[in-house]
Amino acid sequence: MSKRAYNFNAGPAALPLKVLERVQAEFVDFQGTGMSIMEMSHRGAVYESVHNEAQERLLSLLGNPQGYKVLFLQGGASTQFAMLPLNFLREGQTASYVMTGSWSDKAYKEAKLLGKAHIAASSADEKYMRLPNVDSLDLPENTAYVHMTSNETIEGTQFKQFPDTGSVPLIVDMSSDIFCKPFDVTQFGLIYAGAQKNLGPSGVTVVIAREELLTSSPDNIPTMLRYSTYEKNNSLYNTPPSFAIYMVNEVLKWIQEEGGLEGIERVNQQKAALLYDRIDSSEGFYRGCVDSADRSIMNVTFRLANEDLEKQFIKESEQAGFIGLKGHRSVGGLRASIYNAVPLENCQALAEFMDGFKQRNS
């Protein structure tokens, strides 16, 4: 097998090598059926058992919370930005958004197209390089739901804890940090996440929600944009992204084998500490972008003295086999996305490269 790249892509992102090898082994003939799982009817018993297993495995990693259901949808988080207000924002109500960066901004703008949206807290005045205080959110009396983005992929911030919103459902976009650590799902009314960063390949979006939120969609919105359509039909109303769901199940198996969410968090903390320590001990050669208290353990963002040096870093890192270290075009700089499937060894190799680059350019 040829040498694997050091993959730090922001998404689609690294998948566990163990998972890829397992999937490769049964790609042509899934469990003796003489077919790939991609070739099967989604109405057949073989696929349906994988589909149900993925839902059950996901909830088991969260401690099997009572009253929660898992849906598999398509359209990514971007479609969820519209589905949320379509399903939950009624006449005379307001949707409240916590503004923390590029993705929360997109979610807020989509809600504004469909109803009344309000900013409950924001750190826009600091270019989203820290998180706003969410202990005392500014919520109108008629708030339909509170929306947050747990991890801003582009800026590199991450919430360590979430506010208690009482009877108002808390809805969180966890696309870029879901299952990076344990969490209490009962804090949330609904969580959604595109799979392509921590859960599997692109093509499937996972929704975890309290059942009562999924059963009362308005009947005047398109069928495929109602949560109730997926809830009533076990996410099998139309043809689901069956191969992506199968892959999610395999990634969830891998998480279990790695010690569950506690085991995954231990390694994620080690990976993040390696890189942040290199940045903080570089005497200003590398500069972290984000307030240290709000740093993400998934997306490590940093800068160098000038853009020419950053371009040189990207060029030399690519030559050394590192992929995806260029920052998002909207903010520039550098970014290492160290999602669950990125091995600790890759982060060790990057830390060593950073040391060498500093020595050569100081």
Side-chain angles (χ1 to χ4, degrees):
M1 182 174 138
S2 59
K3 185 176 183 294
R4 301 254 306 152
Y6 297 120
N7 185 355
F8 293 96
N9 276 326
L15 285 161
L17 180 58
K18 246 188 218 178
V19 169
L20 293 172
E21 288 172 341
R22 262 187 221 155
V23 169
Q24 183 182 43
E26 56 188 22
F27 187 74
V28 173
D29 182 3
F30 180 70
Q31 297 180 357
T33 59
M35 291 181 286
S36 170
I37 197 157
M38 286 199 293
E39 301 174 284
M40 291 178 188
S41 167
H42 63 291
R43 306 286 180 205
V46 176
Y47 170 73
E48 202 159 343
S49 70
V50 171
H51 185 96
N52 294 339
E53 189 180 297
Q55 293 169 327
E56 289 159 15
R57 198 180 299 280
L58 196 150
L59 288 174
S60 75
L61 281 162
L62 294 170
N64 291 311
Q66 293 302 301
Y68 280 78
K69 207 155 189 184
V70 174
L71 308 180
F72 296 126
L73 296 86
Q74 297 178 68
S78 297
T79 297
Q80 294 303 299
F81 298 162
M83 277 186 76
L84 293 169
L86 282 170
N87 282 266
F88 303 135
L89 185 55
R90 305 287 197 264
E91 188 76 33
Q93 290 184 313
T94 303
S96 290
Y97 282 72
V98 176
M99 305 298 286
T100 49
S102 306
W103 291 108
S104 55
D105 184 59
K106 287 185 177 181
Y108 170 68
K109 284 175 177 168
E110 202 74 1
K112 278 179 70 179
L113 295 175
L114 296 162
K116 192 173 178 185
H118 165 79
I119 296 175
S122 175
S123 53
D125 57 343
E126 296 188 51
K127 297 186 176 175
Y128 298 128
M129 290 300 119
R130 66 162 185 85
L131 293 171
N133 179 7
V134 292
D135 291 337
S136 53
L137 295 172
D138 172 28
L139 300 182
E141 278 182 31
N142 58 350
T143 294
Y145 61 84
V146 174
H147 180 280
M148 296 175 69
T149 305
S150 59
N151 185 89
E152 286 283 1
T153 324
I154 291 172
E155 289 79 10
T157 58
Q158 183 181 28
F159 280 103
K160 310 297 186 288
Q161 53 193 28
F162 296 88
D164 180 355
T165 55
S167 61
V168 178
L170 178 59
I171 294 176
V172 180
D173 176 0
M174 286 194 182
S175 292
S176 55
D177 70 344
I178 192 167
F179 284 8
C180 76
K181 57 184 178 179
F183 64 93
D184 176 10
V185 73
T186 63
Q187 299 173 86
F188 309 103
L190 184 149
I191 292 164
Y192 63 97
Q196 65 274 12
K197 300 174 193 291
N198 257 359
L199 290 178
S202 57
V204 61
T205 307
V206 173
V207 167
I208 310 163
R210 288 206 301 263
E211 285 186 51
E212 66 264 24
L213 288 177
L214 300 175
T215 55
S216 57
S217 303
D219 57 13
N220 63 341
I221 61 174
T223 305
M224 288 297 290
L225 294 176
R226 295 178 207 162
Y227 288 114
S228 59
T229 299
Y230 299 87
E231 190 275 333
K232 282 176 193 163
N233 296 279
N234 192 29
S235 301
L236 292 165
Y237 176 79
N238 69 327
T239 308
S242 53
F243 184 73
I245 293 167
Y246 154 72
M247 285 284 286
V248 166
N249 191 37
E250 293 301 317
V251 171
L252 295 172
K253 279 185 201 173
W254 172 80
I255 290 174
Q256 288 177 323
E257 292 160 3
E258 294 296 306
L261 300 185
E262 292 83 1
I264 289 289
E265 182 185 27
R266 273 195 299 277
V267 179
N268 283 336
Q269 292 288 1
Q270 285 177 274
K271 294 187 304 190
L274 257 177
L275 299 184
Y276 286 125
D277 287 349
R278 281 307 190 283
I279 292 165
D280 294 341
S281 63
S282 70
E283 299 173 325
F285 185 82
Y286 299 109
R287 289 177 290 109
C289 297
V290 169
D291 188 296
S292 58
D294 297 327
R295 284 171 164 175
S296 169
I297 62 167
M298 294 282 96
N299 307 101
V300 177
T301 53
F302 58 103
R303 302 298 305 241
L304 294 173
N306 56 64
E307 286 188 20
D308 288 339
L309 201 55
E310 289 172 352
K311 284 176 185 170
Q312 189 182 333
F313 182 97
I314 291 159
K315 183 182 176 185
E316 290 186 23
S317 66
E318 286 175 350
Q319 289 167 348
F322 295 92
I323 307 298
L325 292 173
K326 188 176 182 181
H328 192 273
R329 61 187 178 274
S330 64
V331 295
L334 301 157
R335 170 178 59 176
S337 294
I338 53 173
Y339 302 123
N340 289 354
V342 175
L344 179 61
E345 298 74 41
N346 287 24
C347 294
Q348 289 166 333
L350 177 56
E352 287 166 18
F353 175 83
M354 289 169 74
D355 286 343
F357 187 84
K358 177 178 177 276
Q359 286 167 5
R360 294 191 299 274
N361 293 281
S362 290

